[in-house]
Amino acid sequence: MGVEGGKGQTWIEDSSNPAGGYWTYTITSEWKATEMTDNLLPDPLWEGGGIKLVYAGPHCHAPSCLGMELWNVDTDELLCKMAPEYGDGKGEKFDEFMYATLPPCIYSGDSDSDSGGDDDILSKQPFLPWNTTIKSICIQNSTTAHYGQMASWQMRGYYVNGTSA
């Protein structure tokens, strides 16, 4: 596990690393569901309504990005958690050795059944009431030099009123 260091960093022990491990830091952000609408809200706001997510795609830069999480702060529900997948160099396009991709979370319809596996692909669409606080956490390897790091989400969803939530 990790050991807390100064300035928000955590030491992660890793026997495969020549230094015995590496330092990480996090980039975090919080916002309200209404802020995801570009001010294109229904007029008036539907009482009891909000947004249902169908897609949440994390974006951060390799090689320092270790993964991203998206949380509903109000319910302490993890909405999406992804880590980079690295290519093995067997000749396929976008599978070059150490080519990193960060796959998105994709949600199914309103069914309560979860057709996904451990990676939560095709889990039920999360409902985010208008006043929901959402939090993004991006974990970075701070021993890998990379300037101009970012941590953003590309999301798709649709409005629902209080009776269809």
Side-chain angles (χ1 to χ4, degrees):
M1 200 64 210
V3 176
E4 292 297 317
K7 299 184 181 179
Q9 295 196 28
T10 302
W11 177 258
I12 304 296
E13 293 183 15
D14 180 357
S15 60
S16 68
N17 185 301
Y22 52 91
W23 289 102
T24 66
Y25 67 96
T26 58
I27 300 171
T28 60
S29 178
E30 287 189 11
W31 65 92
K32 295 287 187 181
T34 53
E35 296 176 82
M36 299 190 310
T37 65
D38 289 335
N39 295 320
L40 299 174
L41 295 168
D43 187 29
L45 271 182
W46 295 315
E47 186 174 325
I51 299 170
K52 282 212 175 178
L53 286 181
V54 293
Y55 172 94
H59 179 87
C60 58
H61 292 165
S64 58
C65 181
L66 298 174
M68 290 183 65
E69 298 176 358
L70 187 67
W71 289 85
N72 178 332
V73 174
D74 301 337
T75 63
D76 200 32
E77 175 188 7
L78 179 63
L79 302 172
C80 183
K81 179 178 181 176
M82 289 295 170
E85 295 177 1
Y86 295 96
D88 59 16
K90 294 187 177 177
E92 296 291 322
K93 185 177 181 180
F94 302 120
D95 191 35
E96 292 87 353
F97 181 68
M98 293 305 290
Y99 183 93
T101 60
L102 214 66
C105 290
I106 301 172
Y107 308 99
S108 70
D110 290 330
S111 169
D112 284 328
S113 66
D114 183 353
S115 59
D118 292 335
D119 54 6
D120 290 328
I121 298 293
L122 298 180
S123 59
K124 183 178 176 185
Q125 293 172 346
F127 172 66
L128 306 173
W130 294 121
N131 64 345
T132 301
T133 302
I134 301 159
K135 183 175 189 171
S136 172
I137 301 171
C138 181
I139 302 166
Q140 302 287 326
N141 180 340
S142 62
T143 57
T144 302
H146 186 83
Y147 302 100
Q149 189 52 265
M150 63 177 62
S152 62
W153 290 87
Q154 296 178 6
M155 291 186 261
R156 303 294 182 269
Y158 58 94
Y159 296 150
V160 292
N161 62 29
T163 59
S164 62

